[in-house]
Amino acid sequence: MLIKIYPENPNEKAIQQVVDVLKKGGIIIYPTDTVYGMGCDITNPKAIERICKIKGIKPEKANFSFICYDLRHISDYTKPIDNETYRILKKALPGAFTFIFNASKNVPKLLSSNKKTVGIRVPDNSIARSIVQLLGNPIISTSIHDEDEIIEYSTDPELIHEKYENLVDLVIDGGYGDNQPSTIVDCSMGDFEIIRQGKGDLSQYL
């Protein structure tokens, strides 16, 4: 299923339709402020296993991000964050960053057997954030990679739908995606270490 949602003013009925799919254990492909992502409800182990199967990875080896609505959600899944780090997060988010923190016990056991950290995203995209807000908890997310070496990420939602329509339950057409991923910042050691430079520029917030 492919549904059109406009990022400037996401249709409430359409967002509800997406949330209903997630609550039933469905997998969605949705826009962010960077590349299109594949996601499911963080509380549904079977849906997480389905995404892992599609990606060809084991859950305990997966580097999924948690898409959160705002900073309040973040503290549910991370160990306490110091005031200085929190101050920078408040300035940088929503934005094109994935921040890695030490994981709390609330991280689903399926994902945390060997992992002590968790990647958190609050994308600057009203569709993604509206979904998470209405769902009431984060969604697990992984980016959509393209096998084409020239274009690393798929950007056209109609082509994404053609490729994934038999694998996922719903694809959101939120306009063309970016082909530059988020900037990954490791905060697990108490500092800000850039693991991958992507779209977000952290230097303007430090």
Side-chain angles (χ1 to χ4, degrees):
M1 183 178 8
L2 179 69
I3 63 169
K4 178 79 179 175
I5 302 179
Y6 293 95
E8 299 80 21
N9 189 20
N11 180 283
E12 284 183 27
K13 281 187 178 177
I15 296 293
Q16 183 65 61
Q17 189 180 352
V18 176
V19 168
D20 289 343
V21 167
L22 288 168
K23 284 184 174 176
K24 289 174 186 169
I27 293 174
I28 65 166
I29 290 177
Y30 65 98
T32 71
D33 52 353
T34 56
V35 300
Y36 266 79
M38 182 188 298
C40 70
D41 187 337
I42 196 174
T43 65
N44 193 307
K46 285 187 177 174
I48 295 171
E49 285 174 350
R50 268 186 69 198
I51 289 188
C52 290
K53 201 170 179 183
I54 292 169
K55 297 280 284 188
I57 49 177
K58 292 181 178 179
E60 64 271 16
K61 297 269 178 73
N63 286 317
F64 292 135
S65 301
F66 292 7
I67 304 293
C68 299
Y69 175 69
D70 59 17
L71 289 174
R72 282 174 299 172
H73 266 149
I74 291 177
S75 58
D76 293 339
Y77 296 96
T78 67
K79 289 188 175 170
I81 298 167
D82 66 72
N83 290 339
E84 178 62 16
T85 301
Y86 193 82
R87 186 180 63 79
I88 289 164
L89 291 181
K90 277 187 81 170
K91 289 195 286 185
L93 297 174
F97 299 96
T98 301
F99 288 102
I100 297 172
F101 294 103
N102 292 306
S104 74
K105 291 178 181 175
N106 290 339
V107 172
K109 285 188 170 58
L110 185 68
L111 299 173
S112 63
S113 54
N114 294 322
K115 294 175 77 68
K116 298 195 167 45
T117 58
V118 58
I120 300 285
R121 283 215 68 203
V122 182
D124 189 11
N125 179 283
S126 54
I127 296 172
R129 292 180 70 224
S130 295
I131 292 166
V132 171
Q133 185 180 31
L134 191 58
L135 181 64
N137 55 259
I139 57 176
I140 288 274
S141 183
T142 180
S143 55
I144 302 293
H145 277 270
D146 204 308
E147 283 83 11
D148 189 326
E149 288 180 8
I150 301 166
I151 304 171
E152 192 181 347
Y153 295 95
S154 300
T155 58
D156 184 334
E158 291 192 6
L159 293 179
I160 292 170
H161 178 251
E162 274 180 34
K163 182 176 178 180
Y164 287 99
E165 63 179 322
N166 296 320
L167 295 171
V168 304
D169 301 281
L170 186 147
V171 177
I172 298 170
D173 177 354
Y176 274 86
D178 204 324
N179 64 356
Q180 192 177 13
S182 65
T183 295
I184 300 176
V185 185
D186 188 349
C187 303
S188 63
M189 303 298 285
D191 203 357
F192 292 91
E193 183 187 353
I194 306 290
I195 302 293
R196 177 185 72 193
Q197 183 60 55
K199 189 176 177 183
D201 177 13
L202 192 66
S203 62
Q204 61 185 308
Y205 304 111
L206 296 175

